[in-house]
Amino acid sequence: MTKNRHSDHSCTMAAALSVISGKWKLSIINQLLSGQKRYSEINRAILGMTEKMLSQQIRELEEDGIVSRHIFPEVPPRVEYSLTPIGQELSSIFYTLERWGSHYMTVTNANGEVIQPDYTCYTLVKDNEVVKESV
């Protein structure tokens, strides 16, 4: 992987989407929206993701400046991951995507039933506090 994997994008939207695209990146970011987590905590929380994939995806998020890694000088070594300030900005974007996704699912639902946002699939953080906003 290179440090500047997104330099060939001429569209800012394409660059943004390429940073968070991938099957597991949104889940990883979501885990970190509520605060620092150890590798094993993230791995246990995301069902179906292999350790190899977690390592690869979290490394890419680090390279893109979304996630930071803090290594504690202890024996055995302890590593914790957290969102950088730019990564924390994704919280409001996730909230907006969740609202839009709910609307989209309602509009395209053949039964016409209203789909409520599933607040378990993302965490909204404001001022370092987890917020669950009502619809």
Side-chain angles (χ1 to χ4, degrees):
M1 307 278 160
T2 63
K3 291 276 185 192
N4 203 358
R5 293 178 299 122
H6 310 291
S7 63
D8 59 339
H9 292 294
S10 59
C11 172
T12 56
M13 178 75 76
L17 290 174
S18 71
V19 169
I20 61 171
S21 68
K23 183 174 180 179
W24 303 107
K25 285 184 181 177
L26 293 177
S27 297
I28 294 167
I29 294 167
N30 183 51
Q31 288 298 310
L32 296 174
L33 282 170
S34 60
Q36 278 189 334
K37 296 262 187 334
R38 294 181 73 173
Y39 180 91
S40 59
E41 291 177 285
I42 300 168
N43 192 37
R44 279 192 303 268
I46 304 173
L47 301 176
M49 181 175 52
T50 64
E51 287 191 36
K52 178 184 176 191
M53 189 53 65
L54 174 58
S55 294
Q56 177 185 336
Q57 298 281 277
I58 210 161
R59 194 175 312 119
E60 288 180 11
L61 289 167
E62 269 187 275
E63 289 175 4
D64 292 335
I66 304 299
V67 170
S68 65
R69 178 175 52 177
H70 182 77
I71 303 170
F72 293 88
E74 328 177 321
V75 176
R78 178 171 51 116
V79 178
E80 290 187 346
Y81 295 92
S82 60
L83 292 176
T84 62
I86 199 163
Q88 291 171 351
E89 292 175 14
L90 291 168
S91 177
S92 60
I93 295 167
F94 278 18
Y95 176 72
T96 303
L97 280 171
E98 176 64 29
R99 297 290 303 248
W100 183 85
S102 173
H103 172 72
Y104 175 79
M105 288 174 65
T106 300
V107 168
T108 59
N109 185 347
N111 297 332
E113 69 185 73
V114 174
I115 309 295
Q116 293 299 319
D118 177 7
Y119 293 108
T120 63
C121 69
Y122 82 98
T123 305
L124 179 64
V125 178
K126 287 185 179 175
D127 301 322
N128 294 327
E129 291 185 30
V130 176
V131 177
K132 300 290 185 183
E133 294 195 11
S134 60
V135 179

